[in-house]
Amino acid sequence: MRVFAIFAPLAIGALVAGGATAQQPKKAVAARDWSTHVVQAPSGAYLIGNPAAKVRLVEYLSYTCGHCAEFMAESKAPLKDGYVRRGAVRIEVRHAVRDPLDMAAALLARCAGPRGFVGATDAIFAEQRNWARRGGAWWQANAPALQSETRLMQLKAAAEGSGLSTLMRGRGMSDAAINQCFATPTDLNRLTAMADAAWKSIKGTPTFVINGKTGGDGHWDTLEPELRAAGAR
């Protein structure tokens, strides 16, 4: 009690001097990173970003499409790390599969699941020139000998021969996980249906649909103004 009596006047004086209702400064709340919000739609397409985003962007992509690789390199920083991260744009990736190597790449990227799909896709496009060249030569030399194999086994062999499987191993995907990517026809059938539907509505890749309207002309510098006109900030 004696100690309290000594310090009480000092405490009261501090309150008077500083104001009895003094408050601690509020901490700034970090903005949510919507680019990490990835889910799979019933159709099998991957949805990346804020479900309530004002702008919905559908991307029809092919992993063996050179223009798609160029678009991904040009758009990553402003689109995924900008508009999508801030929650202004939501991307729906629809696979417009063109060939066996494309299908093998799609199966591997999707096998990474929602948490790994975006990173796997970025890595596959970034290394496209290497694995596509190697895979094309490998497929031409080995396709005749694979005719008796199932389609999944053909695609698994193409993934190995092209270096796609090695690329995924470098990202931490185990051999068991890679084998599982080609173990059942479920996602293969889903991708085949998605590609069939895509090629009934598009003429080439990349193709973009902004809030239900086709646009972008296949390039980031023409797509961005249309995204902004639709409300992306």
Side-chain angles (χ1 to χ4, degrees), residues 61-211:
L61 300 174
S62 162
Y63 288 112
T64 53
C65 160
H67 290 303
C68 296
E70 291 172 5
F71 167 78
M72 294 295 283
E74 292 171 356
S75 68
K76 184 182 184 304
L79 179 56
K80 289 180 182 175
D81 299 340
Y83 294 119
V84 176
R85 181 185 293 271
R86 293 193 295 271
V89 176
R90 189 186 203 190
I91 297 174
E92 177 180 344
V93 177
R94 298 183 187 177
H95 301 276
V97 180
R98 308 190 308 168
D99 52 66
L101 287 174
D102 192 1
M103 182 64 81
L107 286 171
L108 284 169
R110 294 167 58 80
C111 196
R115 294 184 65 180
F117 174 75
V118 173
T121 290
D122 288 345
I124 289 170
F125 274 120
E127 294 296 323
Q128 183 198 78
R129 184 170 298 181
N130 295 326
W131 64 259
R133 182 186 297 113
R134 176 179 171 183
W138 183 94
W139 184 259
Q140 186 174 6
N142 293 276
L146 295 171
Q147 292 302 311
S148 61
E149 298 287 350
T150 65
R151 191 179 180 201
L152 279 170
M153 289 301 97
Q154 292 175 7
L155 294 170
K156 181 181 177 183
E160 289 289 350
S162 64
L164 279 165
S165 293
T166 300
L167 179 61
M168 291 299 100
R169 289 188 187 99
R171 293 186 48 77
M173 188 177 286
S174 67
D175 286 339
I178 290 172
N179 290 339
Q180 190 60 37
C181 298
F182 303 95
T184 66
T186 302
D187 210 34
L188 174 61
N189 293 339
R190 182 176 286 175
L191 277 167
T192 300
M194 190 187 303
D196 289 345
W199 289 112
K200 289 178 181 178
S201 59
I202 68 172
K203 295 181 179 180
T205 54
T207 292
F208 309 110
V209 179
I210 308 161
N211 288 348

